[in-house]
mmCIF file of all heavy atoms in Angstrom:
data_model
loop_
_atom_site.group_PDB
_atom_site.id
_atom_site.type_symbol
_atom_site.label_atom_id
_atom_site.label_comp_id
_atom_site.label_asym_id
_atom_site.label_seq_id
_atom_site.Cartn_x
_atom_site.Cartn_y
_atom_site.Cartn_z
ATOM 1 N N GLU A 1 93.032 83.993 132.823
ATOM 2 C CA GLU A 1 92.719 85.215 132.066
ATOM 3 C C GLU A 1 93.967 86.036 131.796
ATOM 4 O O GLU A 1 94.176 86.516 130.692
ATOM 5 C CB GLU A 1 91.732 86.087 132.850
ATOM 6 C CG GLU A 1 90.297 85.761 132.650
ATOM 7 C CD GLU A 1 89.412 86.727 133.410
ATOM 8 O OE1 GLU A 1 89.777 87.137 134.524
ATOM 9 O OE2 GLU A 1 88.350 87.061 132.875
ATOM 10 N N LEU A 2 94.793 86.204 132.816
ATOM 11 C CA LEU A 2 96.010 86.988 132.641
ATOM 12 C C LEU A 2 96.962 86.318 131.654
ATOM 13 O O LEU A 2 97.583 86.995 130.824
ATOM 14 C CB LEU A 2 96.698 87.196 133.992
ATOM 15 C CG LEU A 2 95.962 88.091 134.973
ATOM 16 C CD1 LEU A 2 96.661 88.094 136.321
ATOM 17 C CD2 LEU A 2 95.850 89.506 134.441
ATOM 18 N N GLU A 3 97.067 85.015 131.723
ATOM 19 C CA GLU A 3 97.945 84.298 130.800
ATOM 20 C C GLU A 3 97.443 84.411 129.366
ATOM 21 O O GLU A 3 98.223 84.659 128.440
ATOM 22 C CB GLU A 3 98.029 82.833 131.220
ATOM 23 C CG GLU A 3 99.030 82.027 130.423
ATOM 24 C CD GLU A 3 99.149 80.604 130.927
ATOM 25 O OE1 GLU A 3 99.159 80.404 132.152
ATOM 26 O OE2 GLU A 3 99.231 79.704 130.074
ATOM 27 N N LEU A 4 96.143 84.233 129.165
ATOM 28 C CA LEU A 4 95.588 84.354 127.813
ATOM 29 C C LEU A 4 95.707 85.773 127.276
ATOM 30 O O LEU A 4 96.024 85.978 126.105
ATOM 31 C CB LEU A 4 94.127 83.900 127.801
ATOM 32 C CG LEU A 4 93.896 82.398 127.983
ATOM 33 C CD1 LEU A 4 92.407 82.101 128.092
ATOM 34 C CD2 LEU A 4 94.513 81.625 126.839
ATOM 35 N N ALA A 5 95.477 86.766 128.144
ATOM 36 C CA ALA A 5 95.611 88.165 127.718
ATOM 37 C C ALA A 5 97.058 88.468 127.353
ATOM 38 O O ALA A 5 97.327 89.173 126.369
ATOM 39 C CB ALA A 5 95.130 89.101 128.821
ATOM 40 N N ASN A 6 97.996 87.942 128.119
ATOM 41 C CA ASN A 6 99.405 88.154 127.815
ATOM 42 C C ASN A 6 99.783 87.503 126.493
ATOM 43 O O ASN A 6 100.463 88.109 125.664
ATOM 44 C CB ASN A 6 100.273 87.599 128.952
ATOM 45 C CG ASN A 6 101.735 87.888 128.730
ATOM 46 O OD1 ASN A 6 102.108 88.962 128.295
ATOM 47 N ND2 ASN A 6 102.566 86.916 129.023
ATOM 48 N N ASN A 7 99.339 86.272 126.265
ATOM 49 C CA ASN A 7 99.631 85.587 124.998
ATOM 50 C C ASN A 7 99.036 86.336 123.815
ATOM 51 O O ASN A 7 99.702 86.532 122.797
ATOM 52 C CB ASN A 7 99.103 84.154 125.028
ATOM 53 C CG ASN A 7 99.875 83.269 125.980
ATOM 54 O OD1 ASN A 7 100.984 83.600 126.395
ATOM 55 N ND2 ASN A 7 99.284 82.149 126.347
ATOM 56 N N LEU A 8 97.782 86.759 123.955
ATOM 57 C CA LEU A 8 97.130 87.504 122.878
ATOM 58 C C LEU A 8 97.846 88.833 122.638
ATOM 59 O O LEU A 8 98.080 89.226 121.494
ATOM 60 C CB LEU A 8 95.657 87.750 123.218
ATOM 61 C CG LEU A 8 94.860 88.566 122.219
ATOM 62 C CD1 LEU A 8 94.798 87.876 120.863
ATOM 63 C CD2 LEU A 8 93.458 88.841 122.739
ATOM 64 N N GLY A 9 98.199 89.516 123.706
ATOM 65 C CA GLY A 9 98.887 90.801 123.568
ATOM 66 C C GLY A 9 100.237 90.665 122.884
ATOM 67 O O GLY A 9 100.581 91.451 121.997
ATOM 68 N N GLN A 10 101.019 89.656 123.286
ATOM 69 C CA GLN A 10 102.316 89.436 122.641
ATOM 70 C C GLN A 10 102.147 89.085 121.167
ATOM 71 O O GLN A 10 102.906 89.549 120.312
ATOM 72 C CB GLN A 10 103.078 88.318 123.369
ATOM 73 C CG GLN A 10 103.495 88.660 124.772
ATOM 74 C CD GLN A 10 104.507 89.778 124.820
ATOM 75 O OE1 GLN A 10 105.275 89.991 123.894
ATOM 76 N NE2 GLN A 10 104.488 90.517 125.911
ATOM 77 N N GLN A 11 101.131 88.274 120.865
ATOM 78 C CA GLN A 11 100.871 87.892 119.473
ATOM 79 C C GLN A 11 100.482 89.113 118.638
ATOM 80 O O GLN A 11 101.014 89.315 117.547
ATOM 81 C CB GLN A 11 99.764 86.843 119.435
ATOM 82 C CG GLN A 11 99.368 86.386 118.061
ATOM 83 C CD GLN A 11 98.207 85.395 118.107
ATOM 84 O OE1 GLN A 11 97.863 84.868 119.162
ATOM 85 N NE2 GLN A 11 97.597 85.156 116.964
ATOM 86 N N LEU A 12 99.569 89.923 119.147
ATOM 87 C CA LEU A 12 99.139 91.111 118.400
ATOM 88 C C LEU A 12 100.262 92.128 118.265
ATOM 89 O O LEU A 12 100.409 92.773 117.220
ATOM 90 C CB LEU A 12 97.930 91.750 119.079
ATOM 91 C CG LEU A 12 96.622 90.968 119.000
ATOM 92 C CD1 LEU A 12 95.551 91.639 119.851
ATOM 93 C CD2 LEU A 12 96.155 90.867 117.559
ATOM 94 N N MET A 13 101.076 92.289 119.303
ATOM 95 C CA MET A 13 102.190 93.230 119.250
ATOM 96 C C MET A 13 103.203 92.782 118.202
ATOM 97 O O MET A 13 103.681 93.590 117.404
ATOM 98 C CB MET A 13 102.845 93.344 120.625
ATOM 99 C CG MET A 13 103.972 94.348 120.692
ATOM 100 S SD MET A 13 103.461 96.060 120.451
ATOM 101 C CE MET A 13 102.742 96.416 122.032
ATOM 102 N N THR A 14 103.516 91.498 118.185
ATOM 103 C CA THR A 14 104.470 90.975 117.201
ATOM 104 C C THR A 14 103.936 91.133 115.784
ATOM 105 O O THR A 14 104.667 91.579 114.891
ATOM 106 C CB THR A 14 104.756 89.484 117.481
ATOM 107 O OG1 THR A 14 105.250 89.368 118.818
ATOM 108 C CG2 THR A 14 105.770 88.927 116.514
ATOM 109 N N GLU A 15 102.661 90.793 115.586
ATOM 110 C CA GLU A 15 102.064 90.950 114.251
ATOM 111 C C GLU A 15 102.097 92.409 113.809
ATOM 112 O O GLU A 15 102.370 92.711 112.646
ATOM 113 C CB GLU A 15 100.630 90.441 114.250
ATOM 114 C CG GLU A 15 100.500 88.934 114.341
ATOM 115 C CD GLU A 15 99.060 88.478 114.481
ATOM 116 O OE1 GLU A 15 98.145 89.334 114.453
ATOM 117 O OE2 GLU A 15 98.844 87.264 114.620
ATOM 118 N N THR A 16 101.813 93.308 114.735
ATOM 119 C CA THR A 16 101.791 94.737 114.400
ATOM 120 C C THR A 16 103.182 95.233 114.030
ATOM 121 O O THR A 16 103.357 95.935 113.033
ATOM 122 C CB THR A 16 101.244 95.558 115.583
ATOM 123 O OG1 THR A 16 99.937 95.105 115.889
ATOM 124 C CG2 THR A 16 101.184 97.026 115.249
ATOM 125 N N LEU A 17 104.182 94.866 114.819
ATOM 126 C CA LEU A 17 105.538 95.354 114.572
ATOM 127 C C LEU A 17 106.157 94.710 113.328
ATOM 128 O O LEU A 17 106.836 95.390 112.553
ATOM 129 C CB LEU A 17 106.415 95.103 115.794
ATOM 130 C CG LEU A 17 106.029 95.890 117.046
ATOM 131 C CD1 LEU A 17 106.890 95.469 118.213
ATOM 132 C CD2 LEU A 17 106.134 97.381 116.808
ATOM 133 N N VAL A 18 105.929 93.422 113.125
ATOM 134 C CA VAL A 18 106.518 92.741 111.974
ATOM 135 C C VAL A 18 105.868 93.215 110.679
ATOM 136 O O VAL A 18 106.549 93.480 109.692
ATOM 137 C CB VAL A 18 106.395 91.209 112.128
ATOM 138 C CG1 VAL A 18 106.738 90.493 110.836
ATOM 139 C CG2 VAL A 18 107.292 90.731 113.253
ATOM 140 N N ALA A 19 104.551 93.330 110.692
ATOM 141 C CA ALA A 19 103.843 93.731 109.473
ATOM 142 C C ALA A 19 103.922 95.239 109.241
ATOM 143 O O ALA A 19 103.636 95.703 108.147
ATOM 144 C CB ALA A 19 102.382 93.304 109.553
ATOM 145 N N GLY A 20 104.282 95.992 110.263
ATOM 146 C CA GLY A 20 104.317 97.449 110.118
ATOM 147 C C GLY A 20 102.928 98.024 109.956
ATOM 148 O O GLY A 20 102.741 99.052 109.320
ATOM 149 N N ASP A 21 101.934 97.350 110.529
ATOM 150 C CA ASP A 21 100.540 97.772 110.431
ATOM 151 C C ASP A 21 100.343 99.056 111.231
ATOM 152 O O ASP A 21 100.547 99.085 112.435
ATOM 153 C CB ASP A 21 99.642 96.660 110.965
ATOM 154 C CG ASP A 21 98.172 96.935 110.737
ATOM 155 O OD1 ASP A 21 97.854 97.942 110.072
ATOM 156 O OD2 ASP A 21 97.352 96.138 111.207
ATOM 157 N N THR A 22 99.955 100.136 110.575
ATOM 158 C CA THR A 22 99.811 101.428 111.238
ATOM 159 C C THR A 22 98.361 101.806 111.499
ATOM 160 O O THR A 22 98.074 102.953 111.818
ATOM 161 C CB THR A 22 100.481 102.542 110.404
ATOM 162 O OG1 THR A 22 99.869 102.577 109.112
ATOM 163 C CG2 THR A 22 101.962 102.306 110.289
ATOM 164 N N THR A 23 97.449 100.842 111.382
ATOM 165 C CA THR A 23 96.042 101.146 111.641
ATOM 166 C C THR A 23 95.731 100.897 113.113
ATOM 167 O O THR A 23 96.198 99.929 113.706
ATOM 168 C CB THR A 23 95.117 100.275 110.771
ATOM 169 O OG1 THR A 23 95.364 98.900 111.061
ATOM 170 C CG2 THR A 23 95.346 100.541 109.298
ATOM 171 N N SER A 24 94.932 101.770 113.675
ATOM 172 C CA SER A 24 94.484 101.573 115.048
ATOM 173 C C SER A 24 93.352 100.559 115.058
ATOM 174 O O SER A 24 92.693 100.337 114.046
ATOM 175 C CB SER A 24 94.040 102.893 115.660
ATOM 176 O OG SER A 24 95.146 103.750 115.796
ATOM 177 N N LEU A 25 93.116 99.970 116.225
ATOM 178 C CA LEU A 25 92.163 98.873 116.313
ATOM 179 C C LEU A 25 91.382 99.004 117.609
ATOM 180 O O LEU A 25 91.943 99.329 118.649
ATOM 181 C CB LEU A 25 92.929 97.538 116.291
ATOM 182 C CG LEU A 25 92.170 96.247 116.451
ATOM 183 C CD1 LEU A 25 91.340 95.993 115.197
ATOM 184 C CD2 LEU A 25 93.132 95.100 116.671
ATOM 185 N N ASP A 26 90.078 98.792 117.530
ATOM 186 C CA ASP A 26 89.224 98.759 118.718
ATOM 187 C C ASP A 26 88.163 97.700 118.442
ATOM 188 O O ASP A 26 87.178 97.966 117.769
ATOM 189 C CB ASP A 26 88.596 100.129 118.953
ATOM 190 C CG ASP A 26 87.854 100.207 120.275
ATOM 191 O OD1 ASP A 26 87.835 99.203 121.009
ATOM 192 O OD2 ASP A 26 87.299 101.283 120.567
ATOM 193 N N THR A 27 88.386 96.500 118.958
ATOM 194 C CA THR A 27 87.515 95.388 118.614
ATOM 195 C C THR A 27 87.400 94.406 119.773
ATOM 196 O O THR A 27 88.169 94.466 120.717
ATOM 197 C CB THR A 27 88.046 94.648 117.361
ATOM 198 O OG1 THR A 27 87.102 93.684 116.962
ATOM 199 C CG2 THR A 27 89.368 93.985 117.635
ATOM 200 N N THR A 28 86.438 93.515 119.667
ATOM 201 C CA THR A 28 86.266 92.435 120.636
ATOM 202 C C THR A 28 86.729 91.137 119.992
ATOM 203 O O THR A 28 86.349 90.826 118.870
ATOM 204 C CB THR A 28 84.791 92.313 121.066
ATOM 205 O OG1 THR A 28 84.368 93.544 121.625
ATOM 206 C CG2 THR A 28 84.605 91.213 122.078
ATOM 207 N N ILE A 29 87.556 90.404 120.730
ATOM 208 C CA ILE A 29 88.117 89.158 120.216
ATOM 209 C C ILE A 29 87.778 88.037 121.192
ATOM 210 O O ILE A 29 87.880 88.210 122.397
ATOM 211 C CB ILE A 29 89.655 89.265 120.069
ATOM 212 C CG1 ILE A 29 90.006 90.292 119.004
ATOM 213 C CG2 ILE A 29 90.266 87.917 119.741
ATOM 214 C CD1 ILE A 29 91.489 90.513 118.824
ATOM 215 N N GLU A 30 87.354 86.892 120.634
ATOM 216 C CA GLU A 30 87.179 85.709 121.475
ATOM 217 C C GLU A 30 88.434 84.869 121.312
ATOM 218 O O GLU A 30 88.780 84.435 120.216
ATOM 219 C CB GLU A 30 85.948 84.910 121.068
ATOM 220 C CG GLU A 30 85.694 83.777 122.020
ATOM 221 C CD GLU A 30 84.301 83.209 121.903
ATOM 222 O OE1 GLU A 30 83.418 83.879 121.360
ATOM 223 O OE2 GLU A 30 84.111 82.073 122.357
ATOM 224 N N TYR A 31 89.130 84.668 122.416
ATOM 225 C CA TYR A 31 90.407 83.980 122.399
ATOM 226 C C TYR A 31 90.369 82.887 123.452
ATOM 227 O O TYR A 31 90.260 83.174 124.640
ATOM 228 C CB TYR A 31 91.532 84.985 122.678
ATOM 229 C CG TYR A 31 92.931 84.453 122.568
ATOM 230 C CD1 TYR A 31 93.492 84.166 121.337
ATOM 231 C CD2 TYR A 31 93.698 84.250 123.706
ATOM 232 C CE1 TYR A 31 94.781 83.690 121.236
ATOM 233 C CE2 TYR A 31 94.985 83.772 123.612
ATOM 234 C CZ TYR A 31 95.527 83.498 122.378
ATOM 235 O OH TYR A 31 96.808 83.025 122.283
ATOM 236 N N SER A 32 90.422 81.645 123.042
ATOM 237 C CA SER A 32 90.380 80.475 123.927
ATOM 238 C C SER A 32 89.176 80.499 124.861
ATOM 239 O O SER A 32 89.282 80.220 126.050
ATOM 240 C CB SER A 32 91.664 80.370 124.742
ATOM 241 O OG SER A 32 92.745 80.096 123.904
ATOM 242 N N GLY A 33 88.033 80.898 124.333
ATOM 243 C CA GLY A 33 86.797 80.878 125.106
ATOM 244 C C GLY A 33 86.533 82.118 125.928
ATOM 245 O O GLY A 33 85.486 82.215 126.557
ATOM 246 N N LEU A 34 87.440 83.080 125.947
ATOM 247 C CA LEU A 34 87.229 84.332 126.683
ATOM 248 C C LEU A 34 87.064 85.485 125.709
ATOM 249 O O LEU A 34 87.797 85.591 124.728
ATOM 250 C CB LEU A 34 88.424 84.619 127.603
ATOM 251 C CG LEU A 34 88.606 83.677 128.770
ATOM 252 C CD1 LEU A 34 89.903 84.002 129.488
ATOM 253 C CD2 LEU A 34 87.450 83.786 129.730
ATOM 254 N N ARG A 35 86.093 86.342 125.997
ATOM 255 C CA ARG A 35 85.867 87.511 125.142
ATOM 256 C C ARG A 35 86.600 88.700 125.752
ATOM 257 O O ARG A 35 86.376 89.054 126.906
ATOM 258 C CB ARG A 35 84.390 87.783 124.992
ATOM 259 C CG ARG A 35 83.678 86.656 124.231
ATOM 260 C CD ARG A 35 82.224 86.926 124.003
ATOM 261 N NE ARG A 35 81.948 88.129 123.237
ATOM 262 C CZ ARG A 35 82.019 88.240 121.909
ATOM 263 N NH1 ARG A 35 82.375 87.212 121.189
ATOM 264 N NH2 ARG A 35 81.723 89.364 121.304
ATOM 265 N N MET A 36 87.507 89.280 124.952
ATOM 266 C CA MET A 36 88.322 90.396 125.415
ATOM 267 C C MET A 36 88.234 91.548 124.422
ATOM 268 O O MET A 36 88.117 91.337 123.217
ATOM 269 C CB MET A 36 89.770 89.950 125.562
ATOM 270 C CG MET A 36 89.984 88.904 126.625
ATOM 271 S SD MET A 36 91.696 88.418 126.767
ATOM 272 C CE MET A 36 91.653 86.839 125.949
ATOM 273 N N VAL A 37 88.285 92.751 124.966
ATOM 274 C CA VAL A 37 88.287 93.955 124.148
ATOM 275 C C VAL A 37 89.739 94.372 123.937
ATOM 276 O O VAL A 37 90.506 94.512 124.892
ATOM 277 C CB VAL A 37 87.496 95.093 124.832
ATOM 278 C CG1 VAL A 37 87.584 96.370 124.020
ATOM 279 C CG2 VAL A 37 86.053 94.673 125.040
ATOM 280 N N VAL A 38 90.101 94.554 122.673
ATOM 281 C CA VAL A 38 91.465 94.944 122.318
ATOM 282 C C VAL A 38 91.429 96.364 121.765
ATOM 283 O O VAL A 38 90.672 96.651 120.833
ATOM 284 C CB VAL A 38 92.069 93.981 121.271
ATOM 285 C CG1 VAL A 38 93.444 94.433 120.851
ATOM 286 C CG2 VAL A 38 92.086 92.567 121.805
ATOM 287 N N VAL A 39 92.238 97.230 122.358
ATOM 288 C CA VAL A 39 92.377 98.603 121.861
ATOM 289 C C VAL A 39 93.845 98.798 121.501
ATOM 290 O O VAL A 39 94.726 98.677 122.348
ATOM 291 C CB VAL A 39 91.950 99.639 122.927
ATOM 292 C CG1 VAL A 39 92.172 101.043 122.406
ATOM 293 C CG2 VAL A 39 90.506 99.420 123.326
ATOM 294 N N ARG A 40 94.088 99.057 120.215
ATOM 295 C CA ARG A 40 95.457 99.257 119.737
ATOM 296 C C ARG A 40 95.557 100.642 119.115
ATOM 297 O O ARG A 40 94.821 100.970 118.191
ATOM 298 C CB ARG A 40 95.810 98.184 118.702
ATOM 299 C CG ARG A 40 97.217 98.354 118.142
ATOM 300 C CD ARG A 40 97.548 97.287 117.135
ATOM 301 N NE ARG A 40 96.732 97.457 115.936
ATOM 302 C CZ ARG A 40 96.652 96.565 114.964
ATOM 303 N NH1 ARG A 40 97.301 95.434 115.037
ATOM 304 N NH2 ARG A 40 95.891 96.791 113.912
ATOM 305 N N ASP A 41 96.465 101.437 119.645
ATOM 306 C CA ASP A 41 96.749 102.758 119.084
ATOM 307 C C ASP A 41 98.140 102.723 118.478
ATOM 308 O O ASP A 41 99.114 102.411 119.160
ATOM 309 C CB ASP A 41 96.680 103.848 120.163
ATOM 310 C CG ASP A 41 95.273 104.054 120.691
ATOM 311 O OD1 ASP A 41 94.342 104.013 119.870
ATOM 312 O OD2 ASP A 41 95.115 104.249 121.906
ATOM 313 N N VAL A 42 98.204 103.045 117.198
ATOM 314 C CA VAL A 42 99.481 103.034 116.490
ATOM 315 C C VAL A 42 99.740 104.440 115.975
ATOM 316 O O VAL A 42 98.858 105.072 115.396
ATOM 317 C CB VAL A 42 99.458 102.032 115.306
ATOM 318 C CG1 VAL A 42 100.783 102.024 114.586
ATOM 319 C CG2 VAL A 42 99.096 100.646 115.794
ATOM 320 N N SER A 43 100.942 104.931 116.207
ATOM 321 C CA SER A 43 101.295 106.253 115.696
ATOM 322 C C SER A 43 102.700 106.202 115.111
ATOM 323 O O SER A 43 103.551 105.434 115.554
ATOM 324 C CB SER A 43 101.221 107.304 116.802
ATOM 325 O OG SER A 43 102.137 107.001 117.826
ATOM 326 N N THR A 44 102.898 107.006 114.092
ATOM 327 C CA THR A 44 104.222 107.117 113.477
ATOM 328 C C THR A 44 104.678 108.556 113.615
ATOM 329 O O THR A 44 103.911 109.492 113.385
ATOM 330 C CB THR A 44 104.185 106.715 111.991
ATOM 331 O OG1 THR A 44 103.189 107.494 111.334
ATOM 332 C CG2 THR A 44 103.874 105.248 111.836
ATOM 333 N N ASP A 45 105.911 108.700 114.022
ATOM 334 C CA ASP A 45 106.493 110.025 114.189
ATOM 335 C C ASP A 45 107.892 109.983 113.601
ATOM 336 O O ASP A 45 108.792 109.351 114.174
ATOM 337 C CB ASP A 45 106.527 110.398 115.682
ATOM 338 C CG ASP A 45 107.080 111.784 115.914
ATOM 339 O OD1 ASP A 45 106.933 112.633 115.017
ATOM 340 O OD2 ASP A 45 107.654 112.007 116.988
ATOM 341 N N ASN A 46 108.069 110.628 112.465
ATOM 342 C CA ASN A 46 109.331 110.603 111.721
ATOM 343 C C ASN A 46 109.731 109.161 111.428
ATOM 344 O O ASN A 46 109.106 108.500 110.630
ATOM 345 C CB ASN A 46 110.435 111.349 112.475
ATOM 346 C CG ASN A 46 110.109 112.835 112.585
ATOM 347 O OD1 ASN A 46 109.397 113.384 111.759
ATOM 348 N ND2 ASN A 46 110.626 113.468 113.611
#
């Protein structure tokens, strides 16, 4: 679980930073057979 959560987190963080996606996210994702809740808060300041 920890390994899958880490992989998913790194993937989502990279996608967010590379794409410059500034939308917040609160969703459930099924990743490799495990259902996880992802909460992403994005803020821009200057």
Side-chain angles (χ1 to χ4, degrees):
E1 274 183 323
L2 292 174
E3 186 176 319
L4 290 174
N6 184 41
N7 291 343
L8 177 62
Q10 293 295 332
Q11 178 183 347
L12 290 173
M13 183 66 77
T14 303
E15 288 174 3
T16 301
L17 294 175
V18 168
D21 187 5
T22 59
T23 59
S24 294
L25 177 70
D26 188 0
T27 187
T28 302
I29 294 178
E30 186 164 341
Y31 185 73
S32 294
L34 292 174
R35 294 183 60 80
M36 295 180 256
V37 176
V38 177
V39 177
R40 179 180 68 190
D41 293 320
V42 180
S43 62
T44 54
D45 182 29
N46 295 334

